[in-house]
PDB file of all heavy atoms in Angstrom:
ATOM      1  N   LEU N  25       8.077   1.882  18.861  1.00  0.00           N
ATOM      2  CA  LEU N  25       6.834   1.354  18.319  1.00  0.00           C
ATOM      3  C   LEU N  25       6.348   2.273  17.200  1.00  0.00           C
ATOM      4  O   LEU N  25       6.729   3.449  17.125  1.00  0.00           O
ATOM      5  CB  LEU N  25       5.779   1.258  19.412  1.00  0.00           C
ATOM      6  CG  LEU N  25       6.171   0.481  20.665  1.00  0.00           C
ATOM      7  CD1 LEU N  25       5.042   0.499  21.675  1.00  0.00           C
ATOM      8  CD2 LEU N  25       6.564  -0.950  20.324  1.00  0.00           C
ATOM      9  N   ILE N  26       5.477   1.763  16.345  1.00  0.00           N
ATOM     10  CA  ILE N  26       4.998   2.546  15.205  1.00  0.00           C
ATOM     11  C   ILE N  26       4.347   3.844  15.653  1.00  0.00           C
ATOM     12  O   ILE N  26       4.551   4.912  15.063  1.00  0.00           O
ATOM     13  CB  ILE N  26       3.982   1.729  14.381  1.00  0.00           C
ATOM     14  CG1 ILE N  26       4.623   0.446  13.861  1.00  0.00           C
ATOM     15  CG2 ILE N  26       3.452   2.533  13.199  1.00  0.00           C
ATOM     16  CD1 ILE N  26       3.627  -0.588  13.396  1.00  0.00           C
ATOM     17  N   GLN N  27       3.555   3.779  16.723  1.00  0.00           N
ATOM     18  CA  GLN N  27       2.822   4.966  17.156  1.00  0.00           C
ATOM     19  C   GLN N  27       3.735   6.089  17.635  1.00  0.00           C
ATOM     20  O   GLN N  27       3.328   7.238  17.680  1.00  0.00           O
ATOM     21  CB  GLN N  27       1.805   4.625  18.252  1.00  0.00           C
ATOM     22  CG  GLN N  27       2.377   3.990  19.499  1.00  0.00           C
ATOM     23  CD  GLN N  27       2.286   2.466  19.458  1.00  0.00           C
ATOM     24  OE1 GLN N  27       2.408   1.885  18.392  1.00  0.00           O
ATOM     25  NE2 GLN N  27       2.056   1.844  20.606  1.00  0.00           N
ATOM     26  N   GLN N  28       4.991   5.754  17.958  1.00  0.00           N
ATOM     27  CA  GLN N  28       5.898   6.817  18.391  1.00  0.00           C
ATOM     28  C   GLN N  28       6.221   7.771  17.240  1.00  0.00           C
ATOM     29  O   GLN N  28       6.537   8.943  17.474  1.00  0.00           O
ATOM     30  CB  GLN N  28       7.186   6.248  18.995  1.00  0.00           C
ATOM     31  CG  GLN N  28       8.024   7.331  19.684  1.00  0.00           C
ATOM     32  CD  GLN N  28       9.159   6.784  20.509  1.00  0.00           C
ATOM     33  OE1 GLN N  28       9.061   5.707  21.096  1.00  0.00           O
ATOM     34  NE2 GLN N  28      10.273   7.520  20.548  1.00  0.00           N
ATOM     35  N   LEU N  29       6.135   7.292  16.003  1.00  0.00           N
ATOM     36  CA  LEU N  29       6.330   8.185  14.860  1.00  0.00           C
ATOM     37  C   LEU N  29       5.269   9.290  14.875  1.00  0.00           C
ATOM     38  O   LEU N  29       5.564  10.456  14.607  1.00  0.00           O
ATOM     39  CB  LEU N  29       6.258   7.400  13.552  1.00  0.00           C
ATOM     40  CG  LEU N  29       7.328   6.310  13.348  1.00  0.00           C
ATOM     41  CD1 LEU N  29       7.038   5.519  12.080  1.00  0.00           C
ATOM     42  CD2 LEU N  29       8.726   6.919  13.302  1.00  0.00           C
ATOM     43  N   LEU N  30       4.028   8.915  15.204  1.00  0.00           N
ATOM     44  CA  LEU N  30       2.958   9.907  15.335  1.00  0.00           C
ATOM     45  C   LEU N  30       3.182  10.786  16.564  1.00  0.00           C
ATOM     46  O   LEU N  30       3.053  12.017  16.491  1.00  0.00           O
ATOM     47  CB  LEU N  30       1.598   9.214  15.438  1.00  0.00           C
ATOM     48  CG  LEU N  30       0.403  10.111  15.761  1.00  0.00           C
ATOM     49  CD1 LEU N  30       0.132  11.098  14.622  1.00  0.00           C
ATOM     50  CD2 LEU N  30      -0.852   9.275  16.035  1.00  0.00           C
ATOM     51  N   GLU N  31       3.544  10.173  17.667  1.00  0.00           N
ATOM     52  CA  GLU N  31       3.741  10.928  18.907  1.00  0.00           C
ATOM     53  C   GLU N  31       4.881  11.932  18.777  1.00  0.00           C
ATOM     54  O   GLU N  31       4.780  13.070  19.259  1.00  0.00           O
ATOM     55  CB  GLU N  31       3.996   9.958  20.059  1.00  0.00           C
ATOM     56  CG  GLU N  31       2.765   9.128  20.407  1.00  0.00           C
ATOM     57  CD  GLU N  31       3.065   7.895  21.239  1.00  0.00           C
ATOM     58  OE1 GLU N  31       4.258   7.632  21.523  1.00  0.00           O
ATOM     59  OE2 GLU N  31       2.100   7.187  21.607  1.00  0.00           O
ATOM     60  N   ASP N  32       5.957  11.533  18.104  1.00  0.00           N
ATOM     61  CA  ASP N  32       7.085  12.452  17.905  1.00  0.00           C
ATOM     62  C   ASP N  32       6.681  13.647  17.041  1.00  0.00           C
ATOM     63  O   ASP N  32       7.045  14.794  17.336  1.00  0.00           O
ATOM     64  CB  ASP N  32       8.258  11.724  17.258  1.00  0.00           C
ATOM     65  CG  ASP N  32       8.954  10.757  18.215  1.00  0.00           C
ATOM     66  OD1 ASP N  32       8.665  10.817  19.432  1.00  0.00           O
ATOM     67  OD2 ASP N  32       9.772   9.943  17.734  1.00  0.00           O
ATOM     68  N   SER N  33       5.930  13.376  15.964  1.00  0.00           N
ATOM     69  CA  SER N  33       5.495  14.473  15.091  1.00  0.00           C
ATOM     70  C   SER N  33       4.515  15.389  15.813  1.00  0.00           C
ATOM     71  O   SER N  33       4.535  16.606  15.629  1.00  0.00           O
ATOM     72  CB  SER N  33       4.874  13.916  13.808  1.00  0.00           C
ATOM     73  OG  SER N  33       5.871  13.303  12.996  1.00  0.00           O
ATOM     74  N   ALA N  34       3.654  14.805  16.653  1.00  0.00           N
ATOM     75  CA  ALA N  34       2.700  15.612  17.418  1.00  0.00           C
ATOM     76  C   ALA N  34       3.417  16.481  18.451  1.00  0.00           C
ATOM     77  O   ALA N  34       2.988  17.605  18.735  1.00  0.00           O
ATOM     78  CB  ALA N  34       1.686  14.705  18.113  1.00  0.00           C
ATOM     79  N   ARG N  35       4.509  15.969  18.990  1.00  0.00           N
ATOM     80  CA  ARG N  35       5.274  16.753  19.972  1.00  0.00           C
ATOM     81  C   ARG N  35       6.043  17.893  19.301  1.00  0.00           C
ATOM     82  O   ARG N  35       6.072  19.022  19.799  1.00  0.00           O
ATOM     83  CB  ARG N  35       6.256  15.838  20.710  1.00  0.00           C
ATOM     84  CG  ARG N  35       6.993  16.528  21.870  1.00  0.00           C
ATOM     85  CD  ARG N  35       8.020  15.627  22.523  1.00  0.00           C
ATOM     86  NE  ARG N  35       9.169  15.386  21.654  1.00  0.00           N
ATOM     87  CZ  ARG N  35       9.407  14.262  21.011  1.00  0.00           C
ATOM     88  NH1 ARG N  35       8.561  13.253  21.097  1.00  0.00           N
ATOM     89  NH2 ARG N  35      10.488  14.128  20.260  1.00  0.00           N
ATOM     90  N   LYS N  36       6.647  17.609  18.146  1.00  0.00           N
ATOM     91  CA  LYS N  36       7.466  18.615  17.463  1.00  0.00           C
ATOM     92  C   LYS N  36       6.614  19.615  16.673  1.00  0.00           C
ATOM     93  O   LYS N  36       6.977  20.792  16.570  1.00  0.00           O
ATOM     94  CB  LYS N  36       8.431  17.923  16.490  1.00  0.00           C
ATOM     95  CG  LYS N  36       9.468  17.030  17.146  1.00  0.00           C
ATOM     96  CD  LYS N  36      10.290  16.329  16.055  1.00  0.00           C
ATOM     97  CE  LYS N  36      11.231  15.299  16.606  1.00  0.00           C
ATOM     98  NZ  LYS N  36      11.945  14.563  15.517  1.00  0.00           N
ATOM     99  N   HIS N  37       5.511  19.137  16.108  1.00  0.00           N
ATOM    100  CA  HIS N  37       4.702  19.985  15.218  1.00  0.00           C
ATOM    101  C   HIS N  37       3.215  19.827  15.560  1.00  0.00           C
ATOM    102  O   HIS N  37       2.425  19.357  14.718  1.00  0.00           O
ATOM    103  CB  HIS N  37       4.951  19.607  13.760  1.00  0.00           C
ATOM    104  CG  HIS N  37       6.397  19.605  13.368  1.00  0.00           C
ATOM    105  ND1 HIS N  37       7.092  20.762  13.083  1.00  0.00           N
ATOM    106  CD2 HIS N  37       7.294  18.579  13.236  1.00  0.00           C
ATOM    107  CE1 HIS N  37       8.352  20.452  12.774  1.00  0.00           C
ATOM    108  NE2 HIS N  37       8.496  19.143  12.864  1.00  0.00           N
ATOM    109  N   PRO N  38       2.811  20.198  16.765  1.00  0.00           N
ATOM    110  CA  PRO N  38       1.435  19.937  17.213  1.00  0.00           C
ATOM    111  C   PRO N  38       0.361  20.564  16.326  1.00  0.00           C
ATOM    112  O   PRO N  38      -0.723  20.000  16.173  1.00  0.00           O
ATOM    113  CB  PRO N  38       1.398  20.511  18.626  1.00  0.00           C
ATOM    114  CG  PRO N  38       2.535  21.498  18.672  1.00  0.00           C
ATOM    115  CD  PRO N  38       3.587  20.929  17.789  1.00  0.00           C
ATOM    116  N   ASP N  39       0.654  21.728  15.746  1.00  0.00           N
ATOM    117  CA  ASP N  39      -0.356  22.449  14.970  1.00  0.00           C
ATOM    118  C   ASP N  39      -0.270  22.193  13.470  1.00  0.00           C
ATOM    119  O   ASP N  39      -1.067  22.742  12.698  1.00  0.00           O
ATOM    120  CB  ASP N  39      -0.257  23.953  15.242  1.00  0.00           C
ATOM    121  CG  ASP N  39      -0.480  24.289  16.715  1.00  0.00           C
ATOM    122  OD1 ASP N  39      -1.350  23.630  17.330  1.00  0.00           O
ATOM    123  OD2 ASP N  39       0.211  25.171  17.241  1.00  0.00           O
ATOM    124  N   ALA N  40       0.690  21.371  13.052  1.00  0.00           N
ATOM    125  CA  ALA N  40       0.819  21.057  11.625  1.00  0.00           C
ATOM    126  C   ALA N  40      -0.334  20.157  11.199  1.00  0.00           C
ATOM    127  O   ALA N  40      -0.773  19.281  11.960  1.00  0.00           O
ATOM    128  CB  ALA N  40       2.153  20.368  11.349  1.00  0.00           C
ATOM    129  N   PRO N  41      -0.863  20.334   9.982  1.00  0.00           N
ATOM    130  CA  PRO N  41      -1.951  19.463   9.513  1.00  0.00           C
ATOM    131  C   PRO N  41      -1.463  18.023   9.362  1.00  0.00           C
ATOM    132  O   PRO N  41      -0.451  17.780   8.699  1.00  0.00           O
ATOM    133  CB  PRO N  41      -2.336  20.055   8.161  1.00  0.00           C
ATOM    134  CG  PRO N  41      -1.778  21.449   8.156  1.00  0.00           C
ATOM    135  CD  PRO N  41      -0.541  21.390   9.002  1.00  0.00           C
TER     136      PRO N  41
END
Side-chain angles (χ1 to χ4, degrees):
L25 306 179
I26 300 163
Q27 58 264 34
Q28 191 169 327
L29 298 174
L30 172 66
E31 292 163 357
D32 288 348
S33 291
R35 187 184 70 254
K36 295 176 187 176
H37 307 281
D39 300 322

